Amino acid sequence: DKEGDADLIHNLEIFPWPWEDNYVSYVLMHHVLEHLGEKTDVFLHIIKELYRVSKPDATIEVTVPHPRHDYFINDPTHVRPITKEVMELFSKQKNLEWKENSISNSPLALYLDVDFEVIDHGFVFSNFWSEGHQKKEISDVDLNFAVTHYFNVVEETSMLLRVVK
């Protein structure tokens, strides 16, 4: 059966979602979020719904292809890059820090009244970069430079979010 044994199948771009407020304590979005919300208003509504249905201190795991990797670029169903910096736009603490320091990032958490804290994030490096780094042939400084300046260094980004309510 192509739909598996799911309790519920729902298009996440149709609102409201069929879960009550403060209903879920754990959400796993493995290669999902980059496919949703091609239009900005739809993406922001997804973030609001995710917040609405999550319990206080809920955990949300997000894994996405890195936007500078061919896995992201070559899939026409990928409509939005998802990075740690994108998800930090939905953190009230970060929004307030930016406001205090006159940083011009969009304070989306304050606008939307949502609050997600990025408590961990990591990368899955392509073989060339991970093997070199594991062998200490590439310094951490050089690896960080490569991540921010080159393509096909990082295949996947993962983030762990905490819902703040």
Side-chain angles (χ1 to χ4, degrees):
D1 157 8
K2 85 175 193 179
E3 294 178 356
D5 293 329
D7 293 334
L8 175 69
I9 296 174
H10 180 75
N11 180 340
L12 297 177
E13 292 185 335
I14 295 175
F15 311 107
W17 290 355
W19 296 281
E20 298 173 21
D21 294 359
N22 303 307
Y23 184 74
V24 298
S25 58
Y26 175 78
V27 176
L28 174 63
M29 298 184 112
H30 186 75
H31 290 271
V32 171
L33 205 48
E34 73 274 14
H35 296 275
L36 300 175
E38 182 176 12
K39 294 182 179 180
T40 301
D41 63 323
V42 173
F43 181 73
L44 296 179
H45 206 136
I46 289 166
I47 296 298
K48 287 170 59 173
E49 282 295 285
L50 185 58
Y51 188 75
R52 179 188 67 77
V53 302
S54 295
K55 292 180 178 180
D57 294 319
T59 300
I60 300 170
E61 280 189 58
V62 176
T63 304
V64 293
H66 192 277
R68 283 193 211 97
H69 196 279
D70 288 346
Y71 293 158
F72 178 83
I73 296 166
N74 293 332
D75 186 337
T77 68
H78 292 160
V79 299
R80 177 173 303 280
I82 305 295
T83 63
K84 174 182 173 257
E85 292 76 15
V86 166
M87 297 313 294
E88 285 179 340
L89 295 171
F90 305 106
S91 164
K92 286 184 179 178
Q93 178 185 344
K94 288 288 185 184
N95 288 186
L96 294 172
E97 285 175 21
W98 298 333
K99 183 177 178 181
E100 183 178 312
N101 294 306
S102 300
I103 297 171
S104 63
N105 291 352
S106 299
L108 294 176
L110 298 175
Y111 293 157
L112 301 174
D113 194 25
V114 299
D115 200 358
F116 297 94
E117 177 186 6
V118 178
I119 57 175
D120 195 17
H121 79 285
F123 298 126
V124 173
F125 291 93
S126 66
N127 286 339
F128 173 82
W129 294 96
S130 64
E131 290 172 6
H133 187 255
Q134 289 171 352
K135 295 176 183 176
K136 299 297 182 201
E137 294 172 7
I138 302 170
S139 72
D140 286 341
V141 170
D142 289 340
L143 187 60
N144 287 331
F145 180 86
V147 167
T148 59
H149 290 83
Y150 302 147
F151 282 77
N152 294 316
V153 175
V154 175
E155 292 179 5
E156 208 174 66
T157 301
S158 60
M159 289 164 270
L160 192 61
L161 311 175
R162 181 176 73 85
V163 176
V164 180
K165 287 189 177 182

